[in-house]
Amino acid sequence: MTTVSISLGQMQIKLARVEDNLETAERMIAEAADSQSQLIVLPELWSSGYDLENAGDYADELGAGMFAQLSKTAREQSIAVFGSILERRGDQFLNCATYFDTDGGLAGVYRKIHLFRLFDEHKWLGEGEAPTVIEQPWGTAGLSICYDLRFPELFRRYAVEYGAELILICAEWPLVRVEHWRALLIARAIENQCFVAASNSCGNTGDTVFAGHSMIVDPWGKVIVEAGEDEDMLTAEIDLDEVDRVRRAIPVFEDRRPDAYLTS
């Protein structure tokens, strides 16, 4: 049995208040480590929220600033940490999700491919260019951010091309569309026969109320754990061998016909 214990740190992000958000994140990371969790997933842009007009005030180069702080915290707490913050790269800012392993090493970097026009990401941020998978002792995971959830092609590639058994999602998904959030998380797990672990923000951040409902879904589409609408941390242990059992029971990937319906 190949297991991994995952915590979801569902934060109420305080807009533009980096030190307050860092304090909350580090408290959750420590709590997850104390519970023997191997990985904690934080929300999207957890350090600043969507104050994109002032991205330059929060963005750091990879390996410096908040990225270095996350590496240090992961190493000190002996827990892997995944979530997104703003990255400065040349004259661009990007929504950048990093996976720091239990030694504080940077195991994966994913820059958001699909920018969310409703929050003006396309006006202030550069686009990511490629999917990212990480190889860990427990298995293979694909990385994604929030709005990516509406693009099943990305998740299918993670499952078919890379054999991902787990997909990690960090998000700031609004309460007004919580039904979409829940339905799409379950759909991505079912159609790709993998686990999905998604951490969302919650409560008021600026003028938006975020949905919460962070969850872990198994390859059958069963919700293993799900938060409510308040700040919370959930932990669950998953057995990644279940992915292979489901894929053998219903061989969806073997029955695909990309020749009949893919145009490129």
Side-chain angles (χ1 to χ4, degrees):
M1 187 164 65
T2 305
T3 63
V4 58
S5 180
I6 302 173
S7 291
L8 307 177
Q10 179 168 292
M11 291 174 54
Q12 181 171 0
I13 298 167
K14 297 176 176 64
L15 190 67
R17 290 163 58 181
V18 174
E19 291 303 318
D20 290 341
N21 293 323
L22 177 60
E23 182 179 344
T24 300
E26 292 198 323
R27 171 178 54 80
M28 288 186 163
I29 292 168
E31 289 177 5
D34 287 344
S35 70
Q36 305 303 307
S37 185
Q38 295 160 265
L39 160 66
I40 182 170
V41 183
L42 298 174
E44 176 186 23
L45 297 181
W46 60 264
S47 67
S48 62
Y50 268 92
D51 186 22
L52 299 183
E53 283 188 66
N54 299 303
D57 294 341
Y58 318 113
D60 293 307
E61 293 183 355
L62 200 64
M66 189 64 74
F67 294 108
Q69 179 63 42
L70 278 178
S71 172
K72 178 175 179 286
T73 301
R75 182 177 66 254
E76 290 177 347
Q77 298 290 346
S78 296
I79 185 172
V81 180
F82 174 73
S84 90
I85 58 177
L86 290 169
E87 177 195 6
R88 183 190 300 272
R89 188 169 61 168
D91 59 357
Q92 273 193 329
F93 303 115
L94 299 104
N95 189 339
C96 178
T98 51
Y99 186 103
F100 290 98
D101 64 24
T102 56
D103 295 323
L106 184 56
V109 178
Y110 171 75
R111 299 174 175 98
K112 193 173 185 180
I113 293 173
H114 303 101
L115 300 184
F116 190 49
R117 292 177 180 272
L118 274 67
F119 284 175
D120 289 337
E121 278 192 304
H122 64 298
K123 294 181 180 179
W124 303 104
L125 302 180
E127 295 179 335
E129 298 172 353
T132 300
V133 295
I134 57 168
E135 300 288 345
Q136 293 295 291
W138 40 258
T140 303
L143 308 183
S144 63
I145 303 175
C146 201
Y147 188 44
D148 289 329
L149 188 58
R150 292 188 180 273
F151 298 87
E153 302 92 336
L154 174 63
F155 292 78
R156 183 63 101 194
R157 184 175 180 188
Y158 279 143
V160 172
E161 186 172 331
Y162 299 106
E165 299 129 315
L166 169 66
I167 295 173
L168 302 176
I169 305 172
C170 56
E172 279 193 83
W173 195 285
L175 181 61
V176 68
R177 290 182 291 278
V178 66
E179 291 86 359
H180 296 191
W181 167 256
R182 296 193 75 261
L184 290 170
L185 287 173
I186 294 168
R188 297 295 90 88
I190 293 171
E191 66 198 9
N192 295 298
Q193 299 177 313
C194 66
F195 286 93
V196 171
S199 186
N200 195 21
S201 63
C202 63
N204 289 73
T205 301
D207 297 329
T208 305
V209 181
F210 290 94
H213 287 273
S214 301
M215 67 175 76
I216 297 175
V217 188
D218 80 4
W220 292 110
K222 178 183 177 182
V223 177
I224 298 172
V225 290
E226 179 176 359
E229 295 178 9
D230 299 322
E231 195 166 87
D232 197 5
M233 190 175 69
L234 305 175
T235 299
E237 185 177 77
I238 62 174
D239 176 12
L240 293 170
D241 291 343
E242 182 68 6
V243 173
D244 185 57
R245 289 191 286 268
V246 172
R247 289 175 179 174
R248 282 189 283 106
I250 307 178
V252 171
F253 300 159
E254 294 177 27
D255 295 334
R256 292 173 67 244
R257 287 286 313 282
D259 59 304
Y261 44 74
L262 291 187
T263 58
S264 62

